[in-house]
Amino acid sequence: MVSLSFVSLLSVLLVSPLAVAQAPPTFLWDQLTPSQNLSWVECYSTFQCTRLEVPLDYSDPSVGTAALAIIRLQANVSNAEYRGPLLFNPGGPGGSGVDTLVMLGQSLQVIFGSQYDIVSFDPRGVSYSTPVAAFFETDAERALWNAGTLPTSLNASADAIPHDWARANVLGQLAAQRDASGILTYMTTDNVARDMLRITESFGFEKLQYYGISYGSVLGATFAALFPDKVERILIDGVLDADAWFSANLTIEATDTDKVLQTFFDSCAAAGPSLCAFYAPTPAAIAARLAALTAAVRAHPVPVVTPTAYGVVDYSLLRSALFTSFYVPYTLWAPLAQGLAALEAGDGAPLFSLLQTAPPFACDCSADPVPFHLNNGEAITAIQCGDAVEVPDSIEELRAYVDNAAKTSEFVEFLVGGGRVSCSGWKVYRKDRFKGPVCAANTSFPLLLLTTSADPVAPTAAALKTLAGFPGSALFTQDSPGHASITAPSLCTAGYFRAYFQNGTLPPPGTVCPVDVALFGAPPGASAKRAEGEDAMIAALKTIADAVRPVITRKFGAVL
Ligand SMILES: *[C@@H]1O[C@H](CO)[C@@H](O)[C@H](O)[C@H]1NC(C)=O
Ligand SMILES: *[C@@H]1O[C@H](CO)[C@@H](O)[C@H](O)[C@H]1NC(C)=O
Ligand SMILES: *[C@@H]1O[C@H](CO)[C@@H](O)[C@H](O)[C@H]1NC(C)=O
Ligand SMILES: *[C@@H]1O[C@H](CO)[C@@H](O)[C@H](O)[C@H]1NC(C)=O
Ligand SMILES: *[C@@H]1O[C@H](CO)[C@@H](O)[C@H](O)[C@H]1NC(C)=O
Ligand SMILES: *[C@@H]1O[C@H](CO)[C@@H](O)[C@H](O)[C@H]1NC(C)=O
C-alpha cells in the first residue's frame, strides 16, 4: 500500500483478500501465441494456460484485440460427469487471476468439486494479459512515485485531501498521455463481463458459472445485469453495492466498518489478557485505551529501526494497521493487540512489522527488460475510474464529500478516497460504457450472495441492495467479522457454496453459518465429529484463509 491516492485510497477498499500479485515466474506467457480458441499448454506444474484473443471493443472489431491470459485446473472426472468451466475472480480490481489460481486453485476445486475446470484469467489490461496498462515507464519510476509505502489517512493533516487531489490529477494526465496501446478506454467492467461470456463460450458452454469476491461481486452482478439469460451459477461473496461503484460514491461500503472495530473491543475483552495483549476488563475500557494511544502517537510519532527495516509509526500507520486488520481479524487481531501493547510501551517495531511483509523495492539492473506484470495499482485506477461517472470534483467539493462520508464511519478516511479523490483527475472515459443500474428482473438462474456479519468494506446493506436488484436470488450470512467468507473457514458456508453449484440448491432465507475458527487464537467451540471429506474441506478453507493475511498486509508493489 502506498502513501497516496494512487494506491492507498483506492486500494483500501478494493484490494481483495485474494488478489495475489506475485507468482513464481515459471511460465513465459509471451511465448504463447494468442488465438481465438483455447489452445491449452501445460504450465505452473499442474495447470494449463492459454491466451485468448478478444475484441477490445465488442461493438467495433476494427479497433483491435486484447489477449487474455487464462489458466485452468482441469476437472478430474469422466466426460459424463464433467460440468464445464467455473470462472473465478479474486477482486482488486486489478488482481491477477492467474497468480491467485496458481496459489489457490487446488483448494477451490476441493470446495466446488472436481467436476469443474477451475478457471481464472487476468482481466484485460491486467498483469499477463496484453496490452498491459502502465502509467510508468520503469519500475523505479513507479516506486519513486509511490514512495512512502503506507496509506496516509485523510485525517492525518489539513492538506491530505488537497495533496491527494493534486496527485490524482498528475496521475490522470500521465495515464492519458502514456496510453499508447489505447487499452485504458476498454478496461471497464462491462467489457470484462463480455470477456467472461466469450471464455465460457470458448469452452463450448452457453451460460456462466462464476465465483467472485469483493470487486468480483461487481463483476458478477454486472454480468447478470447485462446477460440475465446467460446465468448458470453466479456466487458473489463480500458483496459491494455495484451502483455505488459506478457512481464513484463508496460511502455506503463503510456502513459496517465501525461494527468491526466494536467487535475487536468486544472479542478482546472476552478473550482475556492471555490471548489479547491489549486487554482491558470491558470493551469500553479497551476503546479508551486505544483512543489514548492514538492521541499519543499523533502527538509523538515513534521512530522504528530494526535490522531489516526502518520507518515511522505515526497516526496514519496506526490507523492503517487497524483498518487493515479488519479485513482479516482471525489472523491479525492477536498480533495487532501485541503491536498496540508494545507501542504503548514505546516499542513501535511489532506494529510496524505487521504491515511490512515485502522486501523494499530494489532496482532490477539486468540489461534485459523484465516482462512487466505487477500493474495492480495502475489497473485498479484504470478500471475503477474508467467505470464510474466522471467526478471532476474541486478540493472544496471533496472536503464536503469526505465530511459527509465521515458520518457513516470513522474509517472513511481510508475508504472514500477510492473512486472520489483518486478519480478526480481521471481523463479516459468511453462514452458507451455500462454504468448501471445493476439489476435484472429475471435471471436464468438465481444468484447466490454471501455477506459476513461485520465486513469492513462490503456491508450487509450492500448485499441487501444487490439482492433486491435480482429477484429470486438468495443471500446468506457467515457469522464472522472480516472481508468476505474466505477469511474464516466455515464448513457450513462451503457446504452451501458446493450445493449451489452442484445441485442448484439455495440456503433457506435467514441462514447464518458459524465459522470453524475463533478470534484471538482461542480454540474453536467443540465441534461434532467430522464427516468423511470434511477434513480435506477444512484444510482447503484454511489454506485460503492463511493466504489472505500476507496479501492484505504486504505493502505496495505486491498487491493492490
Ligand atoms: C485454434 O487456433 C489455432 C490458431 O488460430 C489453430 O491453429 C488451431 O487449429 C485451433 N484449434 C482448434 C481446436 O480449433
Ligand atoms: C485425477 O486424480 C487422480 C488422483 O489424484 C490422478 O491420479 C489422476 O491423474 C487425475 N486425473 C486427471 C485427468 O487429472
Ligand atoms: C454518497 O452516498 C451517500 C450514502 O451512501 C450519500 O449520503 C451521499 O449523498 C452520496 N454523495 C454523493 C456526492 O452522491
Ligand atoms: C476524520 O475527519 C472527519 C471529517 O473531518 C471527522 O468527522 C472525524 O471525526 C475524523 N476522524 C477521526 C478518527 O479523527
Ligand atoms: C424467467 O426466466 C426463466 C428462464 O429464462 C423463464 O422460464 C421464466 O418464465 C421467467 N420468469 C418470468 C417471471 O419472466
Ligand atoms: C446434491 O444432491 C444429492 C441428492 O439429493 C445429494 O446426495 C448431494 O449430497 C447433494 N450435493 C451437495 C453438494 O449438496
Side-chain angles (χ1 to χ4, degrees), residues 236-317:
I236 52 181
D237 182 355
V239 180
L240 303 178
D241 176 351
D243 288 314
W245 173 268
F246 287 111
S247 58
N249 182 3
L250 300 178
T251 298
I252 188 179
E253 320 292 9
T255 306
D256 287 347
T257 317
D258 294 359
K259 189 176 173 188
V260 187
L261 178 65
Q262 186 60 45
T263 308
F264 174 74
F265 299 146
D266 294 345
S267 55
C268 177
S274 64
L275 294 175
C276 180
F278 203 64
Y279 170 83
T282 64
I286 298 171
R289 191 174 166 183
L290 181 62
L293 178 60
T294 305
V297 166
R298 188 159 198 156
H300 249 277
V302 178
V304 172
V305 179
T306 74
T308 52
Y310 52 87
V312 171
V313 175
D314 59 4
Y315 175 81
S316 284
L317 187 139

Side-chain angles (χ1 to χ4, degrees), residues 3 10 48 60 72 115 141 149 160 164 213 285 306 378-379 392 409 426 448 457 465 476 494 504 507 534:
S3 62
L10 287 172
Q48 295 179 329
D60 183 0
R72 77 168 167 185
Q115 302 94 323
E141 193 192 342
T149 69
D164 282 1
I213 297 170
T306 74
E378 277 118 311
S409 162
W426 192 250
L448 179 58
V457 293
K465 253 193 88 193
F476 74 118
E534 288 189 345

Side-chain angles (χ1 to χ4, degrees), residues 1-22 90-96 99-100 125-127 133 135 142 146 148-152 187 214-215 245 320 323-324 327 355 357-358 372-384 414 548-560:
M1 296 185 230
V2 168
S3 62
L4 295 159
S5 56
F6 164 47
V7 172
S8 63
L9 303 173
L10 287 172
S11 67
V12 167
L13 169 70
L14 307 170
V15 57
S16 151
L18 282 186
V20 179
Q22 206 140 16
S96 167
D99 287 349
T100 309
V126 174
S127 206
F135 311 160
R142 179 174 297 102
N146 291 320
T149 69
L150 282 168
T152 302
M187 286 173 70
S214 191
Y215 160 81
W245 173 268
S320 170
F323 186 66
T324 301
Y327 283 78
L355 296 184
T357 54
F372 170 66
H373 85 101
L374 293 178
N375 72 331
N376 312 52
E378 277 118 311
I380 286 176
T381 306
I383 296 168
Q384 187 183 26
F414 294 115
V548 176
R549 172 182 162 177
V551 173
I552 287 290
T553 55
R554 193 175 299 150
K555 60 184 186 179
F556 174 71
V559 76
L560 314 188

Side-chain angles (χ1 to χ4, degrees), residues 153-155 298 315 319 402-403 406-407 410-413:
S153 161
L154 290 180
N155 281 38
R298 188 159 198 156
Y315 175 81
R319 298 286 294 171
V402 170
D403 284 348
K407 293 176 201 149
E410 65 162 280
F411 283 92
V412 291
E413 59 188 294

